[in-house]
Amino acid sequence: MDKKLYKSNVDKKIDGVCAGIGEYFDIDPTLVRLAWVLFALFGGSGIVLYIIAAVIIPRRPLV
């Protein structure tokens, strides 16, 4: 199986990054969102990493 990382088109709150990462690793997107918030609160790197991920990770093509 060829897994690729895409932003989610369905379960998105801001841009679909966390839901896409959750789908890729087969974990709940809420846990990924919680991790982003913790990174943002403790050091502020979560905000920068989210922006970078939103720019780099492609959107899933609509089929």
Side-chain angles (χ1 to χ4, degrees), residues 19-42:
I21 292 171
E23 290 173 8
Y24 183 79
F25 289 110
D26 293 325
I27 59 174
D28 187 14
T30 305
L31 296 174
V32 179
R33 291 181 185 113
L34 182 61
W36 283 111
V37 169
L38 291 175
F39 282 130
L41 292 176
F42 299 109

Side-chain angles (χ1 to χ4, degrees), residues 7 14-15 17 36 44-57:
K7 291 188 273 189
I14 297 176
D15 196 36
V17 173
W36 283 111
S45 62
I47 297 169
V48 174
L49 291 175
Y50 190 91
I51 293 170
I52 292 169
V55 171
I56 293 175
I57 300 173

